[in-house]
Amino acid sequence: MSIIAFVGSVFSPYYALARRLQGGVADPENFCALNVALYGKGGKRWTMTERGRQHIQRSAHHYQIGPSSLHWNGQELVIDIDEVNVPWPKRVRGRVTVRPEGLCSFVTALDNDGLHRWGPIAPCSRVQVEMENPKLSWRGHAYMDSNEGDEPVEKGFNDWDWARAEMANGDTSVVYDVRPKKGPNRVVSQRFSPDGSHTPFEPPARYPLPSTAWRIERAMCSEPGVAPEIVSTLEDTPFYARSLLKTRLLGEDLTAVHESLSIPRLVSWPVRWMLPWKMPRRA
């Protein structure tokens, strides 16, 4: 399960159009969404209904997006989901509770100008999922992070690969492999512990992975002699892919969640015209 709460949805064709019509600047709070991607038994669910400013409320501890909300109670992030699957309408409703084992203060720039930043808020967490529609429940390992930028993503990057994996002792390893538009490529590789501490590690060699059905190129780091292997492609779109893969990092064989993003594909006109089918808007 993947949940992303957007303020100024980075993938929004409506936000891109508003910036284009308004001289490059638009109100991010007028382009908000809760993206829920649910995989496994019972079939896939996908929600990403975008909502304008009149449908949201934000404070330090609460974020309301239409009928859905996120609330931090001091110990847990409680996510109440009440959305509709697209493009085929099916209710997606339930509660997800994320309990950090420790909060992390690590923040780093992803580009060479410091305009795009990534911060893993709670990379080692536990989650409790209680879904009404579809009827599902489980508990397990979770990961929570944040991304923010001072400019549109297409101004800063060409593409990136990102992956995170749970280690045998409960740590989480993350590799952010970025190709900025300006300056040298960047690879951020960190190991996070449940207490919130973190240590960098030297990323091993980058191996190419099989392209997706939409011909999105993928790659992943792995230790010498152990080429990474795709287990399952969960999301295969014209500009973005989410996969499960096997790799080896820090002396361990790991199963990682892996994502690849192609910015030129995202900003192409055919993709912009297709996106409303997956991202309807309620102004």
Side-chain angles (χ1 to χ4, degrees), residues 108-117 151-161 176-188 206 261-264:
T108 188
L110 294 176
D111 64 322
N112 292 299
D113 293 330
L115 298 177
H116 302 265
R117 296 164 297 280
E151 64 178 4
V153 67
E154 61 266 26
K155 289 189 176 182
F157 305 99
N158 291 310
D159 58 81
W160 69 58
D161 293 283
Y176 225 134
D177 187 358
V178 181
R179 269 72 64 193
K181 277 196 168 180
K182 293 187 289 184
N185 295 344
R186 293 174 60 86
V187 180
V188 179
R206 184 172 185 258
L261 176 66
S262 170
I263 304 297

Side-chain angles (χ1 to χ4, degrees), residues 92-162:
V92 181
R93 180 184 287 134
R95 171 169 285 188
V96 175
T97 305
V98 181
R99 175 179 280 268
E101 293 181 307
L103 297 176
C104 183
S105 60
F106 178 82
V107 178
T108 188
L110 294 176
D111 64 322
N112 292 299
D113 293 330
L115 298 177
H116 302 265
R117 296 164 297 280
W118 165 65
I121 300 169
C124 303
S125 300
R126 305 302 298 174
V127 68
Q128 179 176 343
V129 178
E130 297 290 343
M131 297 298 297
E132 298 176 23
N133 290 297
K135 192 70 175 176
L136 294 169
S137 65
W138 74 86
R139 300 180 182 217
H141 181 262
Y143 166 91
M144 180 166 59
D145 71 0
S146 68
N147 286 79
E148 63 180 20
D150 300 327
E151 64 178 4
V153 67
E154 61 266 26
K155 289 189 176 182
F157 305 99
N158 291 310
D159 58 81
W160 69 58
D161 293 283
W162 170 93

Side-chain angles (χ1 to χ4, degrees), residues 34-281:
L34 185 70
N35 172 222
V36 179
L38 183 59
Y39 312 98
K41 294 181 179 179
K44 178 182 172 181
R45 296 288 192 276
W46 170 275
T47 80
M48 198 167 173
T49 300
E50 185 175 290
R51 292 178 165 89
R53 173 180 279 277
Q54 63 269 40
H55 299 293
I56 75 158
Q57 295 179 6
R58 281 212 300 158
S59 67
H61 298 96
H62 185 79
Y63 181 23
Q64 187 80 32
I65 315 168
S68 299
S69 67
L70 299 89
H71 177 72
W72 174 252
N73 63 19
Q75 294 183 319
E76 301 169 324
L77 179 66
V78 180
I79 308 170
D80 286 311
I81 302 165
D82 189 357
E83 300 288 330
V84 176
N85 179 78
V86 289
W88 314 116
K90 295 179 182 179
R91 180 62 60 181
V92 181
R93 180 184 287 134
R95 171 169 285 188
V96 175
T97 305
V98 181
R99 175 179 280 268
E101 293 181 307
L103 297 176
C104 183
S105 60
F106 178 82
V107 178
T108 188
L110 294 176
D111 64 322
N112 292 299
D113 293 330
L115 298 177
H116 302 265
R117 296 164 297 280
W118 165 65
I121 300 169
C124 303
S125 300
R126 305 302 298 174
V127 68
Q128 179 176 343
V129 178
E130 297 290 343
M131 297 298 297
E132 298 176 23
N133 290 297
K135 192 70 175 176
L136 294 169
S137 65
W138 74 86
R139 300 180 182 217
H141 181 262
Y143 166 91
M144 180 166 59
D145 71 0
S146 68
N147 286 79
E148 63 180 20
D150 300 327
E151 64 178 4
V153 67
E154 61 266 26
K155 289 189 176 182
F157 305 99
N158 291 310
D159 58 81
W160 69 58
D161 293 283
W162 170 93
R164 62 98 177 170
E166 182 184 10
M167 311 293 291
N169 69 344
D171 288 1
T172 296
S173 60
V174 181
V175 176
Y176 225 134
D177 187 358
V178 181
R179 269 72 64 193
K181 277 196 168 180
K182 293 187 289 184
N185 295 344
R186 293 174 60 86
V187 180
V188 179
S189 48
Q190 292 277 333
R191 180 169 183 162
F192 300 94
S193 297
D195 63 3
S197 62
H198 51 88
T199 54
F201 64 91
E202 185 67 26
R206 184 172 185 258
Y207 286 79
L209 294 164
S211 299
T212 68
W214 281 98
R215 310 308 299 167
I216 295 295
E217 295 183 356
R218 298 179 281 188
M220 178 59 191
C221 296
S222 189
E223 292 181 357
V226 185
E229 176 186 350
I230 298 290
V231 176
S232 175
T233 298
L234 303 174
E235 207 69 58
D236 187 352
T237 80
F239 67 92
Y240 171 85
R242 178 181 292 135
S243 314
L244 291 179
L245 57 78
K246 292 181 179 180
T247 190
R248 186 170 178 83
L249 294 174
L250 299 167
E252 291 188 31
D253 294 321
L254 303 172
T255 299
V257 179
H258 179 274
E259 299 177 354
S260 298
L261 176 66
S262 170
I263 304 297
R265 287 281 195 91
L266 169 64
V267 300
S268 66
W269 278 110
V271 170
R272 293 291 198 205
W273 283 108
M274 286 190 286
L275 281 173
W277 291 97
K278 295 284 281 185
M279 304 175 191
R281 176 172 170 82

